[in-house]
Amino acid sequence: MEERGEAERFGELLRAGQSYWLDNLSRAMLRDGSLARRVEHEGLRGVTSNPAIFEKAITSTDLYDEQLERLAGSAASLREIYEALVVADVRDACDLLRPVWQESDGVDGYVSLEVSPRRMHDTAGSIEEGRRLWAAVDRPNLMIKIPGTPAGVPAIEELLFEGVNVNVTLLFSVAAYRDVADAHERALRRRHEAGRPLGSVASVASFFLSRIDVLVDSLLSQRLVPDRHGAGPAPSLFGAAALASARRAYRHFEERTASDGWRTLAGGGARPQRLLWASTSTKNPLYDPVRYVTPLVGPDTVNTLPESTIEAFARSGEVRPGAIRDGRKEADEVFERLAEAGIDMDAVCARLVDEGAVKFIEPFDRLLETLLERRREFLRESRTRVRLEGSAAEAADAARLAALAERRTGVRLAAADASLWTGESGSEESGRAIRLDAAERATGALPALLDFAREIRESDVEQVVLLADGDAAAAARAFAAPGRGRAIDGRPGLRVLASANPAAVREASEQVEFGRTLFVVASASGDGLLPRALARYFLARAARCGERAPGARFVAIGRADSPLLREAEQAEFLRRFEVGGNVTGRFAALDAFGLLPAALTGVNVEDVVAAARDVALECGPDVPEAVNPGLRLGLVLAAAAESGRGPLEILPAPGLEGLAAWIERLVTGSLGPAGLAATCGPVGRRPAAGPVSVSVALAVGGEPAAGTIRARLPRREAAGGEIVRWHHAVAVAASLLGVDPLRDPAAARDRAVEAMLAAVEARDGTTETRRPAAAVDGVELYRPESDTGEDRTDEASIASLLRGLISASGGTGVTTLAAFLPPGEGVERRLSDLCAAVAGRGAAPLLHHGEPAVVAAGAAARGEPGCALVLTAAAADDVPLPDATYGFAQLERTLAARAEEELREGGIRVLRADLGWYPEEGLEALIAALA
């Protein structure tokens, strides 16, 4: 039809009280002028949009590429990228329709923008997002689309009260329409009582039509076969339900606007909430293409039309003023006859709401997946590439991803909802909720850390010595490359001491030049018993070496109100860095524990944090489960635990050993109670035989080694992103396995060790009260005190005890080797050989050095076959602790004793092997016994 004829037809529609809005919006129609022509020449009065419309618009053209590339290079989240793209289009459309809005005195000229369909059952989220979109577009002729679900109704009321125009969507029943109309009136009454203007707020209630007929017709068709009485639904019921619903809804609208209550509001300037007919394209080709247009003309209504229906109406549509009022009696009869035919319209409408959600969520997720892929293309040279293969790819299948979506796992993770693991509002043991905002925390902490690191690098400091517990040490090693503390290229070197072994303490002490050393004392978990002891020792050594203010060479990193920070204040440390107390140590690598040592030694921590932010964006709550790397990896870990095969094997390329060790600790400590441990490092530390559940290959630059999970990092600093990815993965796996990832017995362990030390002092330094179960050539094996086996002193008994211990692992279980031994290459070589001997017996060895990782590792076998061998040695020359009656040798032996207790308490079968004065020879004896 010519433009003039089309304009006349839609002019008639407007004079009959109905506006027509376009059910489509794209940047192309804004750029080529086609939308402007419709407004100027064809009587268009408004535009609606939804995720499906934008999905089609953004994926069908390159008009968005320039803006998308710019956003990809920023710190924008996937949600922010999506909103930036659509807000630009909606704002331009609002400006285009602004004259219509002004000319109609705010009746028409609106552009609708929908909140995320994932907010459909989230009242607070819908309100927050509605406010944000309203502010972002910043146009008075915007309407925010909110579904008329039970959760949407209070959001609709609140936004209208605040002055936000609302288009209520997904209405299928008169009952649901009444609820939103009530919310509209309540909002206006509240505004009136608050002295706010009423005429500036507009709303429409969108009744979806064709989908009603599609479902009802389908149900009717299943009832066409007559029953034994020869009855069946009349053919006239086909295609009748939608129009009958619309007529009943309009009758309620007229009754409401004729009420005294509404007239009072109208007298104050209130506008009626117009009914809008949506989903008006006929899905049945046998139906008239203007079936949902011509019969629904009436005052104070809107019909939102797709392109095909606009063309059909321009060709053959008829405008009959007040047609919507016809057939009201017949509408009631249609509902009665549908009920007689066994059609439950309440159930139909409930199902349509659920299906409507899917119809919006699916294209919305497709759009987000497309945006994520485009973002990755723009950033392909700077981001880590991860591939899942074999069993890992199978674990992250569509069904399992859909189950995560149904549980709203991503959203609940972002909200720190601990009920994912505990079923309660907080962690059972710690009272804290897990937080996955590590990248955000790191961004906030970075300026202070960088300023301090710059100050230190410009000073006379040539080496940094980290005195730490296990979690803090692992955090530092994830980014920095520890050595012997020597300066490298003018940057201070890093030495890590996280052991109470006297030989290790003495070696570090002898190689420290106190006048050029900064000590960083860090406790990421517990009361910091070990780091505090190390700090007292080195403070005393610094004073003896002539340091007038020894505390000025020390920095502390700890929890608020922790014993470490209190002691640091008393000793007048140079700086104290306080870390929020609601993050378990294993999840604190991107706090000062990991970032400060890295920054002090010249690591580009800004790049580390940037990589963390990048992966955090891809693991965000708005990222669809199918492409969310944290959720996908979490499914793999959960499947690995459920498989009952071996530990998770981590294969790091050179330079990534620290990151691999941190992953090992995170996985084992968090998922150990569910049966999943991890192992990494040199070949001797990994199982030489037996299956593994999943293998993770890590590389920088080049392709990783073979593995079911392959991660290629563009540079070492990209480890920051892997920290975030594994945080999310472990949290997801823990929720699926029903374990609390915050479980951290460190504080209880520290208190227990202090009590044990007091008991040792009462026994004049005697630690071991048991007789050895076997002893030969200086090696002694101890069984639990409850073990009543005969004491024997021959090589055969050592062999039988060790082999019997490993056989308890059931062939594929975990054998934890907890080494409380002096450092040295010879000891390390023989420990690797011992691991190989254990693996040769069909078990999966996990080697850990000292406290507290050993307990986490032992917990990995909880509920599964497993065993542990605790290795200790005599100290030829102890190192005394200031202000204590015992030295580091006694502290380490007590830590080993407590580790042994905790393993037994966890149901693990344990032996302790004391290797005597010569640990290398003692290890050789154990290896020979397993041969």
Side-chain angles (χ1 to χ4, degrees), residues 172 207-216 241-242 245 345 352:
F172 297 96
F207 222 92
F208 284 57
L209 299 175
S210 64
R211 297 182 189 177
I212 298 176
D213 280 342
V214 169
L215 179 53
V216 172
S245 297
M345 287 302 293
L352 286 170

Side-chain angles (χ1 to χ4, degrees), residues 567-719:
E567 291 182 13
E569 183 178 11
Q570 294 168 359
E572 298 181 341
F573 277 21
L574 176 63
R575 281 287 292 274
R576 299 186 303 279
F577 289 91
E578 182 179 303
V579 176
N582 60 345
V583 182
T584 295
R586 294 186 299 273
F587 288 85
L590 282 167
D591 287 292
F593 301 111
L595 295 180
L596 182 59
L600 289 170
T601 53
V603 174
N604 188 337
V605 290
E606 290 175 293
D607 278 0
V608 169
V609 174
R613 285 197 303 266
D614 181 66
V615 175
L617 297 179
E618 298 201 354
C619 293
D622 295 300
V623 177
E625 287 75 10
V627 291
N628 187 310
L631 268 60
R632 288 171 59 84
L633 181 55
L635 286 176
V636 175
L637 298 182
E642 292 165 350
S643 73
R645 297 182 65 191
L648 182 81
E649 186 179 46
I650 309 171
L651 311 172
L656 295 178
E657 295 90 350
L659 173 62
W662 176 85
I663 294 173
E664 175 187 32
R665 189 180 190 88
L666 176 73
V667 170
T668 303
S670 301
L671 303 181
L676 183 64
T679 181
C680 70
V683 172
R685 291 187 62 191
R686 299 198 305 269
V692 296
S693 53
V694 173
S695 57
V696 182
L698 306 172
V700 178
E703 285 298 322
T708 49
I709 301 174
R710 299 186 184 187
R712 188 180 77 179
L713 283 66
R715 58 195 180 284
R716 285 196 74 254
E717 290 78 4

Side-chain angles (χ1 to χ4, degrees), residues 386-409:
V386 178
R387 294 204 311 273
L388 304 182
E389 300 180 354
S391 61
E394 294 170 4
D397 62 20
R400 290 167 67 90
L401 288 166
L404 289 182
E406 186 175 346
R407 297 180 69 203
R408 299 177 65 247
T409 302

Side-chain angles (χ1 to χ4, degrees), residues 655-792:
L656 295 178
E657 295 90 350
L659 173 62
W662 176 85
I663 294 173
E664 175 187 32
R665 189 180 190 88
L666 176 73
V667 170
T668 303
S670 301
L671 303 181
L676 183 64
T679 181
C680 70
V683 172
R685 291 187 62 191
R686 299 198 305 269
V692 296
S693 53
V694 173
S695 57
V696 182
L698 306 172
V700 178
E703 285 298 322
T708 49
I709 301 174
R710 299 186 184 187
R712 188 180 77 179
L713 283 66
R715 58 195 180 284
R716 285 196 74 254
E717 290 78 4
E722 292 312 289
I723 297 291
V724 171
R725 190 191 319 275
W726 284 86
H727 276 176
H728 280 76
V730 165
V732 170
S735 73
L736 294 172
L737 297 168
V739 296
D740 182 2
L742 293 175
R743 177 186 174 276
D744 184 10
R749 180 186 308 117
D750 282 351
R751 290 190 291 270
V753 169
E754 289 179 331
M756 293 170 72
L757 285 169
V760 169
E761 287 186 273
R763 294 195 298 266
D764 296 326
T766 302
T767 303
E768 183 59 73
T769 59
R770 297 169 293 180
R771 295 177 60 191
V776 64
D777 295 334
V779 176
E780 297 177 340
L781 291 187
Y782 292 87
R783 289 185 290 203
E785 290 181 327
S786 58
D787 193 325
T788 58
E790 288 186 21
D791 296 341
R792 297 177 61 184

